């Protein structure tokens, strides 16, 4: 009888009050703000994803980062690589460093592949390692 651990139910959008109702089938979507447009697939799609920033119950707040997609082997999660330079004062030079970040991928963006550049936004912890959500695909990888 742990009533306080109940999850928020996923509905088709008929009971929601926040956001906008679009189309004939009343699919609930929201604008995440920060000048990012809601993808057409999120508005017209039929998927249900409670961790999606456009159709789910996740707020984007904090940092916006961009990185290159390294791996899409997980379900609805990808790994991005962020390269940066670290200054070494003793030698008056920079060294290359990188960080890998796990980010949730909404089904609206599942056409991505390795090498694409994406914009991710910080959100609440979604799992042990995931604290970011993909918001936009900036550039696609050059096809060979």
């Amino acid at each position: 009888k742990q009533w306080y651990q109940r999850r928020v139910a996923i509905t088709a959008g008929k009971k929601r009050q926040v956001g906008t109702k679009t189309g004939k089938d009343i699919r609930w979507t929201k604008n995440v703000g920060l000048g990012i447009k809601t993808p057409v697939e999120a508005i017209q799609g039929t998927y249900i994803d409670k961790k999606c920033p456009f159709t789910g119950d996740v707020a984007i707040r904090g940092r916006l980062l961009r990185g290159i997609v390294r791996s899409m082997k997980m379900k609805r999660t990808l790994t991005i690589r962020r390269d940066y330079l670290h200054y070494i004062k003793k030698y008056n030079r920079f060294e290359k460093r990188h960080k890998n970040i796990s980010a949730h991928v909404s089904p609206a963006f599942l056409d991505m592949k390795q090498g694409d550049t994406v914009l991710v936004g910080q959100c609440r912890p979604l799992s042990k390692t995931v604290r970011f959500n993909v918001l936009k695909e900036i550039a696609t990888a050059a096809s060979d």
Side-chain angles (χ1 to χ4, degrees):
K1 293 187 177 184
Q2 297 176 346
W3 56 271
Y4 54 86
Q5 288 185 342
R6 284 188 189 151
R7 304 272 191 233
V8 176
I10 303 298
T11 63
K14 295 181 181 178
K15 295 182 181 178
R16 297 282 181 106
Q17 298 296 323
V18 187
T20 59
K21 293 182 179 182
T22 58
K24 295 177 184 175
D25 58 347
I26 325 172
R27 180 168 170 87
W28 184 86
T29 60
K30 69 177 179 180
N31 182 7
V32 297
L34 307 166
I36 296 164
K37 294 182 179 177
T38 304
V40 176
E41 181 61 33
I43 297 170
Q44 297 176 354
T46 57
Y47 67 87
I48 294 177
D49 183 13
K50 67 179 183 179
K51 297 178 181 179
C52 174
F54 306 106
T55 62
D57 191 29
V58 175
I60 302 297
R61 78 288 190 281
R63 295 185 179 270
L64 292 178
L65 306 175
R66 91 177 43 198
I68 299 170
V69 177
R70 289 297 302 256
S71 168
M72 290 196 63
K73 296 178 183 176
M74 297 173 274
K75 184 177 180 181
R76 291 190 181 179
T77 306
L78 57 74
T79 304
I80 65 168
R81 179 183 169 117
R82 301 194 68 237
D83 296 316
Y84 61 96
L85 297 174
H86 179 251
Y87 182 68
I88 307 296
K89 190 163 63 172
K90 178 179 178 180
Y91 299 110
N92 195 23
R93 282 165 172 74
F94 292 92
E95 68 179 5
K96 285 185 181 178
R97 290 190 177 181
H98 79 275
K99 293 277 187 206
N100 288 330
I101 297 174
S102 297
H104 179 75
V105 185
S106 168
F109 296 115
L110 285 182
D111 59 341
M112 277 192 269
K113 53 188 176 297
Q114 192 172 346
D116 293 352
T117 304
V118 295
L119 179 74
V120 296
Q122 189 177 6
C123 59
R124 63 176 170 80
L126 301 176
S127 70
K128 180 182 175 183
T129 58
V130 178
R131 276 102 176 96
F132 288 88
N133 232 313
V134 175
L135 299 176
K136 186 169 40 168
E137 189 172 359
I138 298 170
T140 58
S143 60
D144 295 332

